[in-house]
CSV table of all heavy atoms in Angstrom, one decimal:
chain,number,residue,atom,x,y,z
F,108,SER,N,-12.5,-9.1,4.9
F,108,SER,CA,-13.0,-10.3,5.0
F,108,SER,C,-14.4,-10.5,4.2
F,108,SER,O,-14.6,-11.5,3.4
F,108,SER,CB,-13.4,-10.6,6.5
F,108,SER,OG,-14.0,-11.9,6.7
F,109,LEU,N,-15.2,-9.6,4.3
F,109,LEU,CA,-16.5,-9.5,3.5
F,109,LEU,C,-16.3,-9.6,2.1
F,109,LEU,O,-17.0,-10.3,1.3
F,109,LEU,CB,-17.3,-8.3,3.9
F,109,LEU,CG,-17.8,-8.2,5.4
F,109,LEU,CD1,-18.6,-7.0,5.5
F,109,LEU,CD2,-18.7,-9.4,5.8
F,110,ALA,N,-15.2,-8.9,1.6
F,110,ALA,CA,-14.9,-8.7,0.2
F,110,ALA,C,-14.4,-10.0,-0.5
F,110,ALA,O,-14.2,-10.1,-1.7
F,110,ALA,CB,-14.0,-7.5,-0.1
F,111,ARG,N,-14.0,-11.0,0.3
F,111,ARG,CA,-13.6,-12.2,-0.3
F,111,ARG,C,-14.7,-13.0,-0.9
F,111,ARG,O,-14.5,-14.1,-1.6
F,111,ARG,CB,-12.8,-13.0,0.8
F,111,ARG,CG,-11.5,-12.4,1.0
F,111,ARG,CD,-10.6,-13.3,1.9
F,111,ARG,NE,-10.3,-14.6,1.3
F,111,ARG,CZ,-9.6,-15.5,1.8
F,111,ARG,NH1,-9.1,-15.3,3.1
F,111,ARG,NH2,-9.5,-16.6,1.3
F,112,GLY,N,-15.9,-12.7,-0.6
F,112,GLY,CA,-17.0,-13.3,-1.2
F,112,GLY,C,-17.6,-14.6,-0.7
F,112,GLY,O,-18.2,-15.4,-1.5
F,113,TYR,N,-17.4,-14.8,0.6
F,113,TYR,CA,-17.9,-16.0,1.3
F,113,TYR,C,-19.0,-15.6,2.3
F,113,TYR,O,-19.5,-16.5,3.0
F,113,TYR,CB,-16.8,-16.7,1.9
F,113,TYR,CG,-15.8,-17.3,1.0
F,113,TYR,CD1,-14.6,-16.5,0.8
F,113,TYR,CD2,-15.9,-18.5,0.3
F,113,TYR,CE1,-13.6,-16.9,0.0
F,113,TYR,CE2,-14.9,-18.9,-0.6
F,113,TYR,CZ,-13.8,-18.2,-0.8
F,113,TYR,OH,-12.7,-18.7,-1.7
F,114,SER,N,-19.3,-14.4,2.4
F,114,SER,CA,-20.2,-14.0,3.5
F,114,SER,C,-21.6,-13.5,3.1
F,114,SER,O,-22.4,-13.4,4.0
F,114,SER,CB,-19.7,-12.7,4.2
F,114,SER,OG,-18.3,-13.1,4.7
F,115,GLY,N,-21.9,-13.4,1.8
F,115,GLY,CA,-23.3,-13.2,1.3
F,115,GLY,C,-23.8,-11.8,1.6
F,115,GLY,O,-25.0,-11.6,1.5
F,116,VAL,N,-23.0,-10.8,1.8
F,116,VAL,CA,-23.5,-9.4,1.9
F,116,VAL,C,-23.5,-8.7,0.5
F,116,VAL,O,-22.8,-9.0,-0.4
F,116,VAL,CB,-22.6,-8.6,2.8
F,116,VAL,CG1,-22.5,-9.3,4.2
F,116,VAL,CG2,-21.2,-8.4,2.3
F,117,ARG,N,-24.5,-7.7,0.5
F,117,ARG,CA,-24.6,-7.0,-0.8
F,117,ARG,C,-23.4,-6.0,-0.9
F,117,ARG,O,-22.8,-5.6,0.1
F,117,ARG,CB,-25.9,-6.3,-0.9
F,117,ARG,CG,-27.1,-7.1,-0.9
F,117,ARG,CD,-28.4,-6.4,-0.5
F,117,ARG,NE,-28.3,-5.8,0.7
F,117,ARG,CZ,-28.9,-4.7,1.3
F,117,ARG,NH1,-29.7,-4.1,0.4
F,117,ARG,NH2,-28.9,-4.4,2.5
F,118,PRO,N,-23.1,-5.5,-2.1
F,118,PRO,CA,-22.1,-4.5,-2.2
F,118,PRO,C,-22.3,-3.3,-1.4
F,118,PRO,O,-21.3,-2.6,-1.0
F,118,PRO,CB,-22.1,-4.3,-3.7
F,118,PRO,CG,-22.7,-5.5,-4.4
F,118,PRO,CD,-23.6,-6.0,-3.3
F,119,VAL,N,-23.6,-2.9,-1.1
F,119,VAL,CA,-23.7,-1.7,-0.4
F,119,VAL,C,-23.3,-1.7,1.0
F,119,VAL,O,-22.8,-0.7,1.6
F,119,VAL,CB,-25.3,-1.3,-0.3
F,119,VAL,CG1,-26.1,-2.4,0.5
F,119,VAL,CG2,-25.6,0.1,0.3
F,120,ILE,N,-23.1,-2.9,1.5
F,120,ILE,CA,-22.5,-3.1,2.9
F,120,ILE,C,-21.1,-2.7,2.9
F,120,ILE,O,-20.6,-2.0,3.7
F,120,ILE,CB,-22.7,-4.6,3.4
F,120,ILE,CG1,-24.2,-4.9,3.5
F,120,ILE,CG2,-22.1,-4.8,4.8
F,120,ILE,CD1,-25.0,-4.0,4.5
F,121,VAL,N,-20.3,-3.3,1.9
F,121,VAL,CA,-18.9,-3.1,1.7
F,121,VAL,C,-18.7,-1.5,1.5
F,121,VAL,O,-17.8,-0.9,2.0
F,121,VAL,CB,-18.3,-3.9,0.8
F,121,VAL,CG1,-16.8,-3.5,0.6
F,121,VAL,CG2,-18.5,-5.4,1.2
F,122,GLU,N,-19.6,-1.0,0.6
F,122,GLU,CA,-19.5,0.4,0.1
F,122,GLU,C,-19.7,1.4,1.3
F,122,GLU,O,-18.9,2.3,1.4
F,122,GLU,CB,-20.5,0.7,-1.0
F,122,GLU,CG,-20.2,0.1,-2.3
F,122,GLU,CD,-21.3,0.1,-3.3
F,122,GLU,OE1,-22.6,0.4,-2.8
F,122,GLU,OE2,-21.2,-0.2,-4.4
F,123,THR,N,-20.6,1.0,2.2
F,123,THR,CA,-20.9,1.9,3.4
F,123,THR,C,-19.7,1.9,4.3
F,123,THR,O,-19.3,2.9,4.8
F,123,THR,CB,-22.2,1.5,4.0
F,123,THR,OG1,-23.2,1.5,3.0
F,123,THR,CG2,-22.5,2.3,5.2
F,124,LEU,N,-19.1,0.6,4.6
F,124,LEU,CA,-17.9,0.6,5.4
F,124,LEU,C,-16.8,1.4,4.9
F,124,LEU,O,-16.0,2.1,5.6
F,124,LEU,CB,-17.4,-0.8,5.7
F,124,LEU,CG,-18.4,-1.6,6.7
F,124,LEU,CD1,-17.9,-3.1,6.6
F,124,LEU,CD2,-18.1,-1.1,8.1
F,125,ILE,N,-16.6,1.4,3.6
F,125,ILE,CA,-15.5,2.1,2.9
F,125,ILE,C,-15.8,3.5,3.1
F,125,ILE,O,-14.9,4.4,3.3
F,125,ILE,CB,-15.3,1.7,1.4
F,125,ILE,CG1,-14.8,0.3,1.4
F,125,ILE,CG2,-14.4,2.7,0.7
F,125,ILE,CD1,-14.9,-0.3,0.0
F,126,ALA,N,-17.1,4.0,2.8
F,126,ALA,CA,-17.4,5.4,2.9
F,126,ALA,C,-17.2,5.9,4.3
F,126,ALA,O,-16.6,7.1,4.5
F,126,ALA,CB,-18.8,5.6,2.5
F,127,LEU,N,-17.5,5.1,5.3
F,127,LEU,CA,-17.2,5.6,6.7
F,127,LEU,C,-15.8,5.7,7.0
F,127,LEU,O,-15.4,6.8,7.6
F,127,LEU,CB,-17.8,4.6,7.7
F,127,LEU,CG,-19.3,4.4,7.9
F,127,LEU,CD1,-19.7,3.2,8.7
F,127,LEU,CD2,-19.9,5.7,8.5
F,128,TYR,N,-15.0,4.8,6.6
F,128,TYR,CA,-13.6,4.8,6.6
F,128,TYR,C,-12.9,6.0,6.1
F,128,TYR,O,-12.2,6.8,6.7
F,128,TYR,CB,-12.9,3.5,6.1
F,128,TYR,CG,-11.5,3.4,6.4
F,128,TYR,CD1,-11.0,2.5,7.4
F,128,TYR,CD2,-10.5,4.1,5.6
F,128,TYR,CE1,-9.6,2.4,7.6
F,128,TYR,CE2,-9.2,4.0,5.8
F,128,TYR,CZ,-8.7,3.1,6.8
F,128,TYR,OH,-7.3,2.9,7.0
F,129,ASN,N,-13.4,6.3,4.8
F,129,ASN,CA,-12.8,7.4,4.1
F,129,ASN,C,-13.2,8.7,4.7
F,129,ASN,O,-12.4,9.7,4.6
F,129,ASN,CB,-13.1,7.3,2.5
F,129,ASN,CG,-12.4,6.3,1.8
F,129,ASN,OD1,-11.4,5.7,2.3
F,129,ASN,ND2,-12.9,5.8,0.7
F,130,ALA,N,-14.4,8.8,5.2
F,130,ALA,CA,-14.8,10.2,5.9
F,130,ALA,C,-14.2,10.3,7.2
F,130,ALA,O,-14.5,11.4,7.8
F,130,ALA,CB,-16.3,10.1,5.9
F,131,GLY,N,-13.4,9.3,7.7
F,131,GLY,CA,-12.9,9.4,9.0
F,131,GLY,C,-13.9,9.3,10.1
F,131,GLY,O,-13.7,9.8,11.3
F,132,ILE,N,-15.0,8.7,9.8
F,132,ILE,CA,-16.0,8.5,10.8
F,132,ILE,C,-15.7,7.1,11.5
F,132,ILE,O,-15.9,6.0,10.9
F,132,ILE,CB,-17.5,8.5,10.1
F,132,ILE,CG1,-17.8,9.7,9.5
F,132,ILE,CG2,-18.5,8.1,11.1
F,132,ILE,CD1,-19.0,9.9,8.7
F,133,MET,N,-15.3,7.1,12.6
F,133,MET,CA,-14.9,5.9,13.4
F,133,MET,C,-16.0,5.5,14.3
F,133,MET,O,-16.3,6.2,15.2
F,133,MET,CB,-13.6,6.2,14.2
F,133,MET,CG,-12.4,6.5,13.4
F,133,MET,SD,-11.8,5.1,12.3
F,133,MET,CE,-12.3,5.8,10.7
F,134,PRO,N,-16.5,4.3,14.1
F,134,PRO,CA,-17.6,3.9,15.0
F,134,PRO,C,-17.0,3.8,16.5
F,134,PRO,O,-15.9,3.6,16.7
F,134,PRO,CB,-17.8,2.4,14.6
F,134,PRO,CG,-17.4,2.4,13.1
F,134,PRO,CD,-16.4,3.4,13.0
F,135,ALA,N,-17.9,4.3,17.5
F,135,ALA,CA,-17.5,4.3,18.9
F,135,ALA,C,-17.7,2.9,19.5
F,135,ALA,O,-18.8,2.4,19.6
F,135,ALA,CB,-18.5,5.2,19.7
F,136,ILE,N,-16.7,2.2,19.6
F,136,ILE,CA,-16.6,0.7,19.9
F,136,ILE,C,-16.1,0.5,21.4
F,136,ILE,O,-14.9,0.8,21.6
F,136,ILE,CB,-15.9,-0.1,19.1
F,136,ILE,CG1,-16.3,0.1,17.5
F,136,ILE,CG2,-15.8,-1.5,19.4
F,136,ILE,CD1,-15.5,-0.7,16.6
F,137,PRO,N,-16.9,0.2,22.4
F,137,PRO,CA,-16.4,-0.1,23.7
F,137,PRO,C,-15.5,-1.3,23.7
F,137,PRO,O,-15.6,-2.2,22.9
F,137,PRO,CB,-17.7,-0.4,24.4
F,137,PRO,CG,-18.8,0.2,23.7
F,137,PRO,CD,-18.4,0.1,22.3
F,138,SER,N,-14.5,-1.2,24.6
F,138,SER,CA,-13.4,-2.2,24.5
F,138,SER,C,-13.7,-3.5,25.2
F,138,SER,O,-13.0,-4.5,25.0
F,138,SER,CB,-12.2,-1.6,25.1
F,138,SER,OG,-12.5,-1.1,26.4
F,139,GLN,N,-14.8,-3.7,26.0
F,139,GLN,CA,-15.1,-4.7,26.7
F,139,GLN,C,-16.5,-5.4,26.4
F,139,GLN,O,-17.3,-4.7,26.0
F,139,GLN,CB,-15.1,-4.5,28.2
F,139,GLN,CG,-13.8,-4.1,28.8
F,139,GLN,CD,-13.9,-3.6,30.2
F,139,GLN,OE1,-14.3,-2.4,30.5
F,139,GLN,NE2,-13.6,-4.4,31.2
F,140,GLY,N,-16.5,-6.7,26.4
F,140,GLY,CA,-17.8,-7.4,26.2
F,140,GLY,C,-17.7,-8.5,25.2
F,140,GLY,O,-18.8,-9.1,24.9
F,141,SER,N,-16.5,-8.9,24.8
F,141,SER,CA,-16.4,-10.1,23.9
F,141,SER,C,-15.5,-11.3,24.6
F,141,SER,O,-14.6,-10.9,25.2
F,141,SER,CB,-15.7,-9.6,22.6
F,141,SER,OG,-15.5,-10.8,21.8
F,142,VAL,N,-16.0,-12.5,24.4
F,142,VAL,CA,-15.2,-13.6,24.8
F,142,VAL,C,-14.5,-14.3,23.8
F,142,VAL,O,-13.8,-15.3,24.0
F,142,VAL,CB,-16.2,-14.6,25.5
F,142,VAL,CG1,-16.8,-14.1,26.8
F,142,VAL,CG2,-17.2,-15.1,24.6
F,143,GLY,N,-14.4,-13.6,22.6
F,143,GLY,CA,-13.6,-14.1,21.6
F,143,GLY,C,-14.1,-15.5,20.9
F,143,GLY,O,-13.2,-16.3,20.4
F,144,ALA,N,-15.4,-15.6,20.8
F,144,ALA,CA,-15.9,-16.8,20.1
F,144,ALA,C,-17.3,-16.4,19.8
F,144,ALA,O,-18.0,-15.7,20.5
F,144,ALA,CB,-15.8,-18.1,20.9
F,145,SER,N,-17.9,-17.1,18.8
F,145,SER,CA,-19.0,-16.7,18.0
F,145,SER,C,-18.7,-15.3,17.4
F,145,SER,O,-19.6,-14.5,17.1
F,145,SER,CB,-20.2,-16.7,18.9
F,145,SER,OG,-21.4,-16.8,18.1
F,146,GLY,N,-17.6,-15.0,17.4
F,146,GLY,CA,-17.1,-13.6,16.8
F,146,GLY,C,-17.0,-12.6,18.0
F,146,GLY,O,-17.4,-12.9,19.2
F,147,ASP,N,-16.4,-11.6,17.8
F,147,ASP,CA,-16.4,-10.4,18.6
F,147,ASP,C,-17.8,-9.7,18.5
F,147,ASP,O,-17.8,-8.5,18.0
F,147,ASP,CB,-15.3,-9.4,18.2
F,147,ASP,CG,-13.9,-10.0,18.6
F,147,ASP,OD1,-13.8,-10.5,19.7
F,147,ASP,OD2,-13.0,-10.0,17.7
F,148,LEU,N,-18.8,-10.4,19.0
F,148,LEU,CA,-20.2,-10.0,18.7
F,148,LEU,C,-20.5,-8.6,19.2
F,148,LEU,O,-21.0,-7.8,18.4
F,148,LEU,CB,-21.2,-11.0,19.4
F,148,LEU,CG,-21.1,-12.5,18.8
F,148,LEU,CD1,-21.9,-13.3,19.7
F,148,LEU,CD2,-21.5,-12.4,17.4
F,149,ALA,N,-20.3,-8.3,20.4
F,149,ALA,CA,-20.6,-7.0,21.0
F,149,ALA,C,-19.9,-5.9,20.4
F,149,ALA,O,-20.6,-4.9,19.9
F,149,ALA,CB,-20.5,-7.0,22.5
F,150,PRO,N,-18.6,-5.8,20.3
F,150,PRO,CA,-17.8,-4.8,19.6
F,150,PRO,C,-18.2,-4.6,18.3
F,150,PRO,O,-18.3,-3.5,17.7
F,150,PRO,CB,-16.4,-5.1,20.0
F,150,PRO,CG,-16.4,-6.4,20.3
F,150,PRO,CD,-17.6,-6.8,21.0
F,151,LEU,N,-18.4,-5.7,17.5
F,151,LEU,CA,-18.6,-5.6,16.1
F,151,LEU,C,-20.2,-5.1,15.9
F,151,LEU,O,-20.5,-4.4,14.8
F,151,LEU,CB,-18.5,-6.8,15.3
F,151,LEU,CG,-17.0,-7.2,15.0
F,151,LEU,CD1,-16.9,-8.7,14.6
F,151,LEU,CD2,-16.3,-6.2,14.2
F,152,ALA,N,-21.0,-5.4,16.8
F,152,ALA,CA,-22.3,-4.8,16.8
F,152,ALA,C,-22.3,-3.3,16.9
F,152,ALA,O,-23.0,-2.6,16.2
F,152,ALA,CB,-23.3,-5.5,17.8
F,153,HIS,N,-21.4,-2.8,17.8
F,153,HIS,CA,-21.3,-1.3,17.9
F,153,HIS,C,-20.7,-0.7,16.6
F,153,HIS,O,-21.1,0.4,16.2
F,153,HIS,CB,-20.4,-1.0,19.1
F,153,HIS,CG,-21.1,-1.1,20.4
F,153,HIS,ND1,-21.8,-0.1,21.0
F,153,HIS,CD2,-21.1,-2.1,21.3
F,153,HIS,CE1,-22.3,-0.5,22.2
F,153,HIS,NE2,-21.9,-1.8,22.3
F,154,MET,N,-19.8,-1.4,15.9
F,154,MET,CA,-19.4,-1.0,14.6
F,154,MET,C,-20.5,-0.9,13.6
F,154,MET,O,-20.6,0.1,13.0
F,154,MET,CB,-18.3,-1.9,14.1
F,154,MET,CG,-17.7,-1.6,12.7
F,154,MET,SD,-16.9,-3.0,11.9
F,154,MET,CE,-18.4,-3.9,11.3
F,155,THR,N,-21.3,-1.9,13.6
F,155,THR,CA,-22.5,-2.0,12.7
F,155,THR,C,-23.4,-0.9,13.0
F,155,THR,O,-24.1,-0.4,12.0
F,155,THR,CB,-23.1,-3.3,12.7
F,155,THR,OG1,-22.1,-4.3,12.5
F,155,THR,CG2,-24.1,-3.5,11.6
F,156,LEU,N,-23.6,-0.5,14.3
F,156,LEU,CA,-24.6,0.5,14.6
F,156,LEU,C,-24.2,1.7,13.8
F,156,LEU,O,-25.2,2.5,13.4
F,156,LEU,CB,-24.5,0.9,16.1
F,156,LEU,CG,-25.2,-0.1,17.0
F,156,LEU,CD1,-25.0,0.5,18.4
F,156,LEU,CD2,-26.6,-0.3,16.8
F,157,ALA,N,-23.1,2.1,13.6
F,157,ALA,CA,-22.7,3.3,12.9
F,157,ALA,C,-23.2,3.3,11.5
F,157,ALA,O,-23.6,4.3,10.8
F,157,ALA,CB,-21.1,3.4,12.9
F,158,MET,N,-23.2,2.1,10.8
F,158,MET,CA,-23.7,2.0,9.5
F,158,MET,C,-25.2,2.2,9.4
F,158,MET,O,-25.8,2.6,8.4
F,158,MET,CB,-23.4,0.6,9.0
F,158,MET,CG,-21.9,0.2,9.0
F,158,MET,SD,-21.7,-1.6,8.5
F,158,MET,CE,-22.3,-1.6,6.9
F,159,LEU,N,-25.9,2.0,10.6
F,159,LEU,CA,-27.4,2.2,10.6
F,159,LEU,C,-27.8,3.6,11.0
F,159,LEU,O,-28.9,3.9,11.0
F,159,LEU,CB,-27.9,1.2,11.6
F,159,LEU,CG,-27.6,-0.3,11.6
F,159,LEU,CD1,-28.2,-1.1,12.7
F,159,LEU,CD2,-28.0,-0.9,10.2
F,160,GLY,N,-26.7,4.4,11.4
F,160,GLY,CA,-26.9,5.7,11.9
F,160,GLY,C,-27.4,5.8,13.2
F,160,GLY,O,-28.1,6.7,13.7
F,161,VAL,N,-27.1,4.8,14.0
F,161,VAL,CA,-27.5,4.7,15.5
F,161,VAL,C,-26.4,4.8,16.4
F,161,VAL,O,-25.3,4.3,16.0
F,161,VAL,CB,-28.2,3.3,15.7
F,161,VAL,CG1,-28.6,3.1,17.2
F,161,VAL,CG2,-29.4,3.1,14.8
F,162,GLY,N,-26.5,5.4,17.5
F,162,GLY,CA,-25.4,5.5,18.5
F,162,GLY,C,-24.5,6.6,18.1
F,162,GLY,O,-25.0,7.6,17.5
F,163,GLN,N,-23.3,6.5,18.6
F,163,GLN,CA,-22.3,7.6,18.4
F,163,GLN,C,-21.1,7.1,17.6
F,163,GLN,O,-20.8,5.9,17.5
F,163,GLN,CB,-21.8,8.0,19.8
F,163,GLN,CG,-22.9,8.8,20.6
F,163,GLN,CD,-22.2,9.4,21.8
F,163,GLN,OE1,-21.6,8.8,22.6
F,163,GLN,NE2,-22.5,10.6,22.1
F,164,VAL,N,-20.5,8.0,17.0
F,164,VAL,CA,-19.1,7.7,16.4
F,164,VAL,C,-18.1,8.9,16.8
F,164,VAL,O,-18.6,9.9,17.4
F,164,VAL,CB,-19.4,7.9,14.7
F,164,VAL,CG1,-20.2,6.7,14.4
F,164,VAL,CG2,-19.9,9.2,14.3
F,165,ARG,N,-16.9,8.6,16.4
F,165,ARG,CA,-15.9,9.7,16.7
F,165,ARG,C,-15.4,10.3,15.4
F,165,ARG,O,-15.1,9.5,14.5
F,165,ARG,CB,-14.7,9.0,17.4
F,165,ARG,CG,-13.8,10.1,18.0
F,165,ARG,CD,-12.9,9.5,19.1
F,165,ARG,NE,-12.4,8.3,18.8
F,165,ARG,CZ,-12.2,7.2,19.6
F,165,ARG,NH1,-12.6,7.4,20.9
F,165,ARG,NH2,-11.7,6.0,19.2
F,166,HIS,N,-15.5,11.6,15.2
F,166,HIS,CA,-15.1,12.3,14.0
F,166,HIS,C,-14.2,13.4,14.4
F,166,HIS,O,-14.7,14.2,15.2
F,166,HIS,CB,-16.3,12.8,13.2
F,166,HIS,CG,-15.9,13.3,11.9
F,166,HIS,ND1,-16.3,14.5,11.4
F,166,HIS,CD2,-15.3,12.7,10.8
F,166,HIS,CE1,-15.7,14.7,10.2
F,166,HIS,NE2,-15.2,13.6,9.7
F,167,ASN,N,-13.0,13.4,13.9
F,167,ASN,CA,-12.0,14.5,14.2
F,167,ASN,C,-11.7,14.6,15.7
F,167,ASN,O,-11.6,15.6,16.3
F,167,ASN,CB,-12.5,15.8,13.7
F,167,ASN,CG,-12.5,15.9,12.2
F,167,ASN,OD1,-11.8,15.3,11.5
F,167,ASN,ND2,-13.4,16.6,11.6
F,168,GLY,N,-11.7,13.4,16.3
F,168,GLY,CA,-11.5,13.3,17.8
F,168,GLY,C,-12.7,13.6,18.6
F,168,GLY,O,-12.6,13.5,19.9
Side-chain angles (χ1 to χ4, degrees):
S108 178
L109 297 177
R111 288 188 59 184
Y113 298 98
S114 301
V116 303
R117 295 166 296 154
V119 67
I120 298 299
V121 177
E122 291 166 349
T123 302
L124 280 171
I125 293 172
L127 288 171
Y128 186 101
N129 287 341
I132 298 172
M133 296 292 111
I136 303 178
S138 56
Q139 294 172 279
S141 174
V142 295
S145 201
D147 289 312
L148 296 172
L151 287 173
H153 284 273
M154 179 200 76
T155 307
L156 284 179
M158 302 171 65
L159 308 181
V161 177
Q163 290 187 312
V164 296
R165 193 160 46 217
H166 188 238
N167 296 327

